[in-house]
Amino acid sequence: TISDNYHQPVMGGTGANSIMIGTADAIYYTDGNGNATKPPADQIENPLPQANTNNWYTQDGYSGGSYTNCSDSHQPGAGTLRHYLDRLPYKPDAKCAPNTYYLLNNYNPGYNGDGTVNTSTFTTPPSPVRTIADTLIEKNISWKYYGEGWNTFVKTPTTSVYCNICNPFLYETAIMTNPKLVSAHLQDTTDLYADIANGTLPAVSFVKPGGLLDGHPESSKFGLFESFVHKLVDKVQRDPSLWASTAILVTTDEGGGYYDSGYIQPLDFFGDGPRIPMIVVSPYSRGGRVVHQYADHASIVKFIERNWRLKPITKRSRDNLPNPIQLQTHPYVPVNAPAIGDLFDAFEFPRTP
């Protein structure tokens, strides 16, 4: 089953979109102790175009400027977006806390793989924002994040294919300051294959290939990513008992651009963004079908929460939004906006595998 209405959650890069898979929310600049504070001036986003350029931002991304205090309409670019959101008929909450500078693009996470604080440049400080991992731990539901190259990343990060900005849990203080949690839950894809073979997969698994296989055009090809997914699906399907209770959700971090011919639903200040792939592989999925329910990365969080009867991560995270009500005559636009789905429309429960 595929979705043709699944979106990247942030109008930004790999890091900000990957974080949403864990938090269903944006993270912000802190003093390292969980308190919101103002970042250095050269790290504050300024989307106003430089003179004599084709809309080249004054400050953006790695070269300077990835945070915004979107609660202040006088901040560059913030006022225009806030005005747009305020004029929408359904008045979405911008989710901009006062005097808080939110991450919009790609910055390194606040921790290294060994749990030490990351002090390199272009790094967001340790984050206090809760993730779905906290909820799973509290409810004793097993989970792991398998990232290719993790073992090398922990020892010699510069030689690893590991994508640190892709792991939402590397940003979080509650996880990374607890060595037992790191050891138990952050592992390599070699551990993934061993867990599949041994029948010891956790209830919830996040899987990320390394930079050579993840399909990013700078370092990979999409066919290599497809082969990685094919290998993973084959391994799971070889074990009938494992396959009978498995749902594999295949997506990408973001689409590499901001244009979309379809509808993009404004949910808050940070997104949504354009559509990206979502493929559901499971004995319970509606094979050969295309589903239209509006969804983004926070829908993965909602899927986990609905399946295990969990509450939203926080009071402000996107998993609080209702499932969309969409008309058959216009199936792509929720009439109860802002709303995002939980991906259950891609399945048929109960059903004998």
Side-chain angles (χ1 to χ4, degrees):
T1 302
I2 66 172
S3 169
D4 65 353
N5 205 13
Y6 186 91
H7 297 249
Q8 67 181 65
V10 178
M11 281 289 196
T14 294
N17 281 287
S18 297
I19 288 167
M20 277 275 186
I21 294 178
T23 60
D25 200 355
I27 66 172
Y28 52 87
Y29 189 87
T30 74
D31 60 2
N33 296 309
N35 304 303
T37 191
K38 186 177 181 178
D42 64 355
Q43 294 187 34
I44 297 174
E45 188 84 7
N46 185 348
L48 299 179
Q50 296 181 24
N52 303 315
T53 68
N54 183 18
N55 199 31
W56 190 263
Y57 286 7
T58 301
Q59 286 190 165
D60 179 52
Y62 285 120
S63 60
S66 265
Y67 297 98
T68 184
N69 175 12
C70 53
S71 69
D72 181 359
S73 61
H74 298 291
Q75 290 281 315
T80 302
L81 277 175
R82 292 297 301 269
H83 179 68
Y84 168 71
L85 293 174
D86 289 342
R87 290 175 63 87
L88 291 172
Y90 56 89
K91 301 290 189 297
D93 184 349
K95 301 293 179 66
C96 298
N99 302 314
T100 303
Y101 287 79
Y102 292 95
L103 183 67
L104 300 177
N105 215 319
N106 296 346
Y107 266 26
N108 290 314
Y111 293 93
N112 299 307
D114 60 4
T116 58
V117 174
N118 189 346
T119 58
S120 63
T121 56
F122 308 122
T123 296
T124 190
S127 172
V129 177
R130 278 175 58 91
T131 66
I132 187 63
D134 298 293
T135 307
L136 294 171
I137 291 169
E138 290 164 1
K139 297 299 181 180
N140 295 314
I141 298 170
S142 59
W143 70 277
K144 288 184 182 180
Y145 181 100
Y146 300 97
E148 184 183 13
W150 169 257
N151 293 334
T152 306
F153 173 73
V154 172
K155 298 176 182 178
T156 53
T158 57
T159 65
S160 178
V161 297
Y162 191 81
C163 179
N164 64 336
I165 66 173
C166 301
N167 182 348
F169 312 112
L170 264 180
Y171 295 82
E172 189 190 1
T173 297
I175 299 296
M176 295 307 301
T177 56
N178 187 326
K180 290 184 178 179
L181 290 181
V182 173
S183 176
H185 299 290
L186 304 187
Q187 297 186 3
D188 209 310
T189 49
T190 53
D191 300 295
L192 166 69
Y193 300 139
D195 284 345
I196 293 174
N198 297 329
T200 54
L201 270 182
V204 178
S205 301
F206 300 90
V207 181
K208 174 65 177 67
L212 300 180
L213 299 179
D214 65 4
H216 271 88
E218 181 182 5
S219 61
S220 182
K221 295 181 179 179
F222 210 76
L224 295 174
F225 173 65
E226 292 174 336
S227 296
F228 176 89
V229 173
H230 194 287
K231 175 182 177 180
L232 174 59
V233 172
D234 279 352
K235 286 181 177 294
V236 173
Q237 288 182 330
R238 289 193 193 111
D239 183 339
S241 61
L242 177 60
W243 173 239
S245 61
T246 296
I248 301 174
L249 309 177
V250 184
T251 188
T252 60
D253 50 356
E254 38 88 12
Y258 298 143
Y259 173 76
D260 194 327
S261 61
Y263 173 69
I264 298 176
Q265 180 184 195
L267 296 174
D268 48 41
F269 184 87
F270 312 100
D272 260 355
R275 289 173 293 178
I276 56 175
M278 167 52 74
I279 302 173
V280 176
V281 184
S282 171
Y284 299 98
S285 65
R286 302 175 181 180
R289 293 196 59 180
V290 179
V291 294
H292 311 305
Q293 187 181 73
Y294 194 100
D296 71 10
H297 284 346
S299 299
I300 295 175
V301 173
K302 289 189 68 173
F303 176 84
I304 294 169
E305 290 168 343
R306 178 172 173 180
N307 194 59
W308 279 277
R309 297 179 175 87
L310 306 174
K311 294 181 179 180
I313 299 172
T314 67
K315 292 182 179 180
R316 56 163 280 148
S317 51
R318 284 188 188 174
D319 47 337
N320 287 278
L321 294 175
N323 278 354
I325 298 173
Q326 294 168 217
L327 305 177
Q328 289 186 350
T329 54
H330 196 25
Y332 295 94
V333 181
V335 298
N336 61 329
I340 54 170
D342 58 18
L343 303 177
F344 264 64
D345 64 322
F347 297 87
E348 291 180 347
F349 298 120
R351 173 182 169 187
T352 302

